[in-house]
Amino acid sequence: MAQKVKLSTIAESLGLSTATISLALRDSPLVASDTRDKIKEQARALGYIYNRRAASLRTSRSGIVGVVFHDVMNPFYGEILKAIESELDRSRQTFILSNHYDSVEKQRTFIETLLQLGSDGIIMSPAIGTPIEDMTLAEDNGMPAILVARSMDGVDMPTYRGDDSYGISLATNHLISLGHRTIAMVGGTDQTSTGRDRYQGYVNALRKAGIDVDPNLRIPGPRSKQGGFEAAVHFLSLPQKPTAAVCWNDLVAIGLMNGISRAGLVPGVDISVTGYDDLEEAAIATPALTTVSNGQAEVGRLAARALLDRLAGSHEPDGIHLIKPEMRIRQSTGPVRPRV
């Protein structure tokens, strides 16, 4: 087997000290930038591989952060992850990603694995049904945790997410301003803080406008495009004949619009539809989707920054930090059009 290249090998080849080589490879400002570049180039040429395990023994830091979400295939989580990665890159931290798919057992295994690896911290959107002791497992073992997207009762950790109640009230009020009074809510679940808050925002907006809240106009469950598409049959068969739908997220809204179109109706004309999250796909949907920007990039950036600050010795206040959503009005909503 080929012998591993050591710091001393690089130092000897350049006539520098191993201390200078070590500092340069860690991007220390104590080494001039042109010298750092020369050292890195020589290290690559010699095939040097940074020994993270040895470094962690010296510094008590692994340079690794765990990130665990429900499903990163959902573009909502993808946008949060992109912002987290960008922020971590600036501090030369890398991350290990896991999807828990709302499996508490899978999530617990991931946390235990991170602890075994000596990870520096974890950013997570907790799985449905997560017990409090699982949430504190990381912190109790010296691995700080930051929550995103979902919060949990009884857990006082820094949590970054959009103001879901306010955001859905924006969408509902927009439809009310267009004359809609029979407005369904499609998608979501009361098992998450996100689902509870979004439904409450819908209810609050209706009540403030003097509109009775009809529980039969709620179609819980869907969280994907397929789910929204399948919900269209139920939506169109409701005896109340809703003229508009507030959807759990953009994926559900786009799926619902496809189902409405398949039934021969025109979204935005015959039935108004709003989404939530303002994903990239929302602006290019047909019709372009009226939705709520939920600040995913800001959520990811702030969560990563909070974790890095904790690792540096400062402490972001615990509790929930809400990002204020904004409306994005496009073509999928319009004035109420009475059914013939």
Side-chain angles (χ1 to χ4, degrees), residues 3 9 32 35 37 43 48 56 75 80 82 135 142 151 190 192 206 214 230 251 257 260 275 309 339:
Q3 188 173 3
T9 308
T35 303
D37 292 342
Y48 173 76
S56 67
I80 293 177
K82 183 178 180 181
M135 296 297 296
S151 54
D190 282 341
T192 67
L206 292 178
D214 186 346
E230 293 171 356
L251 299 179
M257 289 198 301
I260 289 170
D309 287 346
R339 299 273 181 90

Side-chain angles (χ1 to χ4, degrees), residues 254-266:
I254 291 169
L256 182 69
M257 289 198 301
N258 288 339
I260 289 170
S261 297
R262 184 75 64 88
L265 299 172
V266 181

Side-chain angles (χ1 to χ4, degrees), residues 34-77:
D34 57 342
T35 303
R36 291 202 306 267
D37 292 342
K38 184 170 71 171
I39 289 171
K40 289 179 181 180
E41 183 178 345
Q42 182 69 350
R44 283 193 292 270
L46 293 173
Y48 173 76
I49 302 298
Y50 179 68
N51 191 329
R52 188 178 293 275
R53 287 178 296 177
S56 67
L57 291 174
R58 292 192 301 269
T59 64
S60 298
R61 292 272 297 277
S62 65
I64 296 172
V65 169
V67 180
V68 58
F69 293 148
H70 167 255
D71 182 6
V72 80
M73 290 299 290
N74 182 333
F76 169 78
Y77 286 113

Side-chain angles (χ1 to χ4, degrees), residues 101-131:
Y101 306 112
D102 278 326
S103 165
V104 172
E105 188 62 37
K106 184 174 175 61
Q107 176 182 263
R108 185 183 299 122
T109 299
F110 182 62
I111 295 172
E112 291 172 348
T113 300
L114 292 176
L115 289 169
Q116 293 163 8
L117 292 172
S119 297
D120 294 335
I122 182 171
I123 298 172
M124 60 189 298
S125 177
I128 291 174
T130 299

